[in-house]
Amino acid sequence: MNPSPSSTLSPQDSPKANRDLFDQSALSDLAQRLVEAAKRAGADAADAVAVRGISQGVEVRDGRVEESERSEGDDVGLRVLVGQRQAVVSTNDTSGDAVTKLAERAVAMARVAPSDKYVGLADPALLARDFPDLDLLDPDVPTTAELERRALAAEAAALAVKGVSKSGGASASAGIGGMVLVTSTGFHGSYLRSSQGISATAIAGEGTSMERDYDFTSAPHGEDLLSPDAVGRSAGERTVARYNPRKVETCKVPVVFDPRVAGSLVGHLVGAINGASIARKTSFLKDKLGQRLFANNIRIIDDPLRKRGLRSQTFDAEGVAVKRTALVDEGVLTTWLLDCATARELGLATTGHAHRGVSSSPSPGPYNLHLEPGTPTPAELIADIKQGFYVTDLIGSGVNGVTGDYSRGASGFWIESGQLTYPVSEVTIAGHLFEIFKSMQPANNLEFRYGINAPTVRIEGLTLGGR
């Protein structure tokens, strides 16, 4: 463990160092040289990604800094195509003649790779040409001392909540992540995104009757974070509310998902419409494109162009232009999430959802997801529930994407006569995603705090497995 310095700036905190972090010109030049080297080595086509990652974080417990760390790294990846054969290599060593050797090795690997008729770069007509400013980079990088202050303030606020017996720790972090993409078809794009976060965990009770909960905030810009006091206080209040939980009998009741966990339902949909799963026929939604899965008022949006979004970017990992898309519109499933390869396999066009690391080929994935809000307030959503369950925490991953069967451990609060009453733990909620989607009712309290956002959501008739 390395205790952080006090309030003095470290060398990495200097303005010049921060400016250097924002400069991607060397990475752009490196990616260009990799593509040119691959072509000279005999590749028919190639693309290169250069990824920058910088992170710093502070963890505190009981009013003292427990750990402080910082990491920086640039990595590059090269994908080459020889006919219908593909290879991907990566490195963080670009000294001397490493670029030429990497390209030659990649081409040699591609020549002996299995043939795949679906591989290839994106159609040049689909490549992004406009790069709107999404305001993703906060120029004010917090110092180590500021991260300490945030973490300590969050912990103090959690401990100040009546009923909290001890701290589970608090942390604050900041980082910068970015990517440069260069292709042999002429695309050259880059982006940088900053990230900042604060989290706190509190504990109530003693011995075997302890309960814990947490809260956190994250955003590209520091000014969009919740305050450390708000994060800590929420963590403490959530923890105290969970203390002394009861068991309930197995029953079938309406289940209401708190916004913190309601986004998981959107995540299950998106996993099932991933083009890779559709192409392999391993999704329970493989035959449902264009069909109504939800009520008429349900819209689920993927928006890579949202300003200051946690997952925003102006092009995908193949250089294809991205756009705001209604994955579900008026209850109807409108599209799959596709990159170029899965699109070719399905006889469709890419939707601009390719993601990629330096050591992997592109694969489909979402950006900023949200379920659009409904009209009732959360209180109105549960007002007519005589007996039900309000979920605040989910455990495990018991969701079968092939069959759509849903079963997860959960904790939360019992609903009686439209009101939240006592805490409940050690239960399971079970059903089928078809039925869950069909009965989904969103409240009006949507906030954009996570990568997947949803308001409070009510689902009818799930089985609650208790004692």
Side-chain angles (χ1 to χ4, degrees):
M1 293 185 292
N2 302 309
S4 68
S6 57
S7 58
T8 59
L9 295 180
S10 66
Q12 296 90 345
D13 291 329
S14 70
K16 180 183 183 304
N18 290 340
R19 286 196 300 271
D20 292 343
L21 296 179
F22 300 156
D23 184 1
Q24 291 180 292
S25 56
L27 287 181
S28 295
D29 178 65
L30 174 59
Q32 184 68 49
R33 287 191 289 120
L34 276 168
V35 169
E36 292 170 354
K39 292 288 285 183
R40 288 195 302 271
D44 296 318
D47 62 12
V49 294
V51 176
R52 168 158 293 170
I54 301 105
S55 65
Q56 55 182 339
V58 172
E59 296 183 11
V60 304
R61 189 185 299 268
D62 298 328
R64 294 181 299 177
V65 175
E66 199 167 63
E67 186 169 357
S68 179
E69 60 182 11
R70 180 184 179 96
S71 64
E72 297 184 20
D74 293 338
D75 296 289
V76 294
L78 176 66
R79 178 172 63 138
V80 302
L81 296 108
V82 178
Q84 293 184 321
R85 302 173 189 273
Q86 173 179 273
V88 177
V89 294
S90 65
T91 186
N92 56 12
D93 176 16
T94 56
S95 59
D97 60 352
V99 166
T100 298
K101 289 183 177 179
L102 186 70
E104 291 173 348
R105 179 158 59 92
V107 171
M109 291 169 59
R111 285 178 173 146
V112 297
S115 180
D116 184 345
K117 62 183 178 181
Y118 303 119
V119 302
L121 302 189
D123 183 339
L126 300 175
L127 297 176
R129 291 174 174 80
D130 298 318
F131 304 96
D133 180 9
L134 302 180
D135 196 14
L136 300 179
L137 190 62
D138 187 344
D140 297 323
V141 180
T143 64
T144 304
E146 170 61 15
L147 295 179
E148 279 186 32
R149 185 197 68 78
R150 293 177 184 179
L152 290 168
E155 182 183 52
L159 289 169
V161 175
K162 184 178 180 181
V164 171
S165 58
K166 63 182 70 176
S167 168
S171 66
S173 62
I176 297 169
M179 183 179 82
V180 173
L181 173 65
V182 174
T183 74
S184 59
T185 52
F187 178 83
H188 193 138
S190 64
Y191 64 84
L192 273 175
R193 181 192 300 118
S194 53
S195 61
Q196 297 188 40
I198 305 168
S199 68
T201 301
I203 298 170
E206 299 290 341
T208 59
S209 62
M210 288 193 300
E211 293 291 334
R212 73 170 58 215
D213 211 326
Y214 68 95
D215 206 352
F216 71 96
T217 180
S218 60
H221 285 252
E223 66 183 19
D224 293 332
L225 295 172
L226 297 177
S227 71
D229 287 350
V231 173
R233 185 169 56 251
S234 174
E237 291 171 348
R238 285 177 175 271
T239 299
V240 172
R242 291 179 60 153
Y243 190 63
N244 197 22
R246 305 184 197 176
K247 304 291 191 295
V248 294
E249 301 292 340
T250 297
C251 54
K252 197 168 187 177
V253 293
V255 175
V256 179
F257 289 72
D258 182 84
R260 191 165 77 173
V261 292
S264 65
L265 301 175
V266 177
H268 299 319
L269 168 79
V270 171
I273 65 172
N274 186 294
S277 297
I278 301 302
R280 293 194 300 264
K281 301 187 184 303
T282 56
S283 168
F284 75 103
L285 296 180
K286 63 183 183 296
D287 301 318
K288 301 301 180 182
L289 188 63
Q291 296 188 25
R292 184 175 304 284
L293 301 179
F294 299 81
N296 292 348
N297 65 325
I298 298 297
R299 297 186 84 233
I300 296 175
I301 307 297
D302 189 27
D303 186 6
L305 299 175
R306 193 171 80 231
K307 285 203 169 186
R308 298 194 178 189
L310 286 171
R311 301 176 179 174
S312 296
Q313 57 194 69
T314 55
F315 60 91
D316 78 352
E318 296 176 295
V320 174
V322 297
K323 62 182 179 180
R324 189 178 193 269
T325 305
L327 307 180
V328 173
D329 194 8
E330 296 182 349
V332 175
L333 178 62
T334 66
T335 185
W336 309 129
L337 301 187
L338 302 172
D339 64 352
C340 288
T342 55
R344 293 185 188 106
E345 189 169 357
L346 294 169
L348 300 169
T350 177
T351 58
H353 281 93
H355 293 257
R356 177 184 173 188
V358 294
S359 58
S360 62
S361 57
S363 59
Y367 300 103
N368 301 302
L369 293 162
H370 74 268
L371 167 64
E372 291 203 337
T375 54
T377 66
E380 291 169 342
L381 200 67
I382 68 173
D384 67 336
I385 297 179
K386 292 183 178 179
Q387 289 194 320
F389 183 50
Y390 186 88
V391 184
T392 59
D393 198 23
L394 290 168
I395 305 162
S397 55
V399 180
N400 189 321
V402 179
T403 65
D405 292 321
Y406 180 96
S407 178
R408 299 195 67 180
S411 59
F413 299 89
W414 192 245
I415 303 171
E416 282 189 4
S417 301
Q419 299 292 323
L420 302 188
T421 57
Y422 51 85
V424 171
S425 67
E426 297 181 13
V427 297
T428 59
I429 48 177
H432 194 282
L433 286 172
F434 278 141
E435 300 304 316
I436 290 172
F437 294 161
K438 190 184 301 182
S439 71
M440 184 179 289
Q441 300 177 60
N444 67 351
N445 59 333
L446 176 66
E447 293 182 354
F448 293 102
R449 294 187 58 189
Y450 316 112
I452 304 178
N453 297 281
T456 303
V457 170
R458 174 173 170 171
I459 306 295
E460 302 299 328
L462 292 180
T463 298
L464 194 67
R467 58 191 178 191

